[in-house]
Amino acid sequence: MNNFKSPLARRLAKLTACVTFIALVSFIPPANKKIKVYLVGDSTMCFYDKTRFPQEGWGMPFANYFDSSVQVDNRARGGRSSRSFIEEKLWKPIADSLQEGDYVLIQFGHNDPSNSADHPNRKATPEEFGKYLTQYITETRAKKANPILITPMTQRKFDKDGKVMETHAPYSRVMMDVAAANNVPLIDLDGKSRELVQKFGPEFSKYLYLDLDPGQSPNYPRGYHDITHFCEFGARKMAEIVLAGIIDQKLELADHVVKPAVKK
């Protein structure tokens, strides 16, 4: 048999082998690719630096509950609504960077009912709220990522009989309807946090929130009484409610919750 090949044939063979190798490599998933979990929401979820301590959004302790295969990217921003988060171009960079298997945890509804001096164009009616939620879901799924809806947490408001009041009912109901219509996992932080606040009662529930007397914290020398935002303890309790929802619904993300060390 004649094994002689012309220089041109040898070059073509090398080129074919190179193209084949590149094609095969392109289908190999990157080693140790982390699952990204994006947090999209408002001030009750977002990150605060040490100048605001002991204030924390629940997204801060939430990031510590997962093993090294998960990277939590907290993009929540104070004062934002489902509408303004999109219109201020905070959502687009997330949607553009989503990859298959990522997660987007979406919590709005606290700021949607009204505008404010700092955010004059954030208001979204319940009907508009539903449309914006659907947009988040559609654009997340377009990237084969996983949306999870989270109802807005309760505020520390009690009636004269000491019963905690519902503060976001219309928006929570819309979110539940949107979740059901689109077959999206939903975590009812509104309802579960209301149960927690009721359990603590009118007096002791202040320890969940940023409720400080004068001189109690160097960052708030005059004191601060907030019925919406959390101290580090309250943020952790809210994060635990969200984590429990992920585990109870047996979402794939639950497989990446940190496991306790085995004692030898």
Side-chain angles (χ1 to χ4, degrees):
M1 181 181 292
N2 185 359
N3 292 323
F4 176 77
K5 291 184 179 180
S6 69
L8 177 59
R10 289 196 296 270
R11 286 198 294 272
L12 288 174
K14 289 181 179 180
L15 179 61
T16 301
C18 183
V19 171
T20 302
F21 175 76
I22 292 173
L24 289 172
V25 169
S26 67
F27 286 101
I28 299 174
N32 300 321
K33 178 185 178 296
K34 290 183 180 293
I35 298 170
K36 287 286 283 290
V37 178
Y38 292 92
L39 304 186
V40 174
D42 55 40
S43 58
T44 62
M45 178 196 261
C46 75
F47 173 84
Y48 293 94
D49 65 29
K50 62 182 181 181
T51 66
R52 303 286 290 275
F53 184 81
Q55 182 173 357
E56 289 189 4
W58 67 255
M60 295 172 67
F62 179 79
N64 297 316
Y65 289 122
F66 297 93
D67 60 31
S68 59
S69 67
V70 173
Q71 179 184 353
V72 176
D73 190 344
N74 192 342
R75 300 290 186 93
R77 295 282 293 274
R80 271 56 176 199
S81 67
S82 62
R83 171 189 174 185
S84 62
F85 200 89
I86 291 173
E87 292 184 349
E88 293 180 24
K89 302 296 188 293
L90 298 173
W91 166 243
K92 189 175 187 303
I94 300 171
D96 289 345
S97 61
L98 284 173
Q99 297 185 30
E100 183 175 354
D102 288 345
Y103 286 81
V104 183
L105 276 59
I106 304 159
Q107 179 209 261
F108 288 110
H110 173 69
N111 295 317
D112 291 78
S114 62
N115 294 320
S116 71
D118 293 334
H119 304 279
N121 299 305
R122 72 183 183 188
K123 182 178 180 179
T125 65
E127 181 181 6
E128 292 169 334
F129 182 61
K131 292 178 180 179
Y132 287 122
L133 291 178
T134 302
Q135 179 178 343
Y136 289 108
I137 292 167
T138 301
E139 294 181 4
T140 297
R141 284 179 165 168
K143 294 296 189 71
K144 297 183 178 180
N146 306 289
I148 298 174
L149 297 183
I150 303 172
T151 56
M153 35 51 68
T154 194
Q155 293 176 292
R156 182 175 169 258
K157 288 184 177 181
F158 292 85
D159 64 18
K160 60 182 178 60
D161 298 317
K163 182 179 179 181
V164 66
M165 301 167 64
E166 289 191 67
T167 52
H168 306 299
Y171 291 85
S172 291
R173 284 196 295 269
V174 168
M175 185 175 280
M176 291 176 183
D177 291 343
V178 169
N182 291 276
N183 194 28
V184 173
L186 178 132
I187 297 170
D188 187 15
L189 183 58
D190 184 6
K192 293 295 185 181
S193 63
R194 198 162 58 250
E195 291 176 7
L196 178 68
V197 172
Q198 186 66 66
K199 182 179 179 180
F200 274 70
E203 176 60 26
F204 292 106
S205 59
K206 68 181 181 181
Y207 295 111
L208 296 166
Y209 293 82
L210 192 66
D211 192 283
L212 302 167
D213 293 328
Q216 190 173 348
S217 170
N219 286 331
Y220 302 87
R222 297 182 179 179
Y224 200 82
H225 300 286
D226 192 326
I227 63 170
T228 300
H229 301 94
F230 310 114
C231 65
E232 71 277 23
F233 174 62
R236 179 167 60 82
K237 299 302 289 184
M238 299 300 156
E240 288 172 356
I241 291 173
V242 176
L243 187 72
I246 291 171
I247 294 171
D248 291 346
Q249 296 186 53
K250 296 181 172 59
L251 304 182
E252 192 275 338
L253 186 59
D255 295 338
H256 301 274
V257 173
V258 67
K259 305 294 190 299
V262 178
K263 295 183 179 179
K264 297 181 179 179

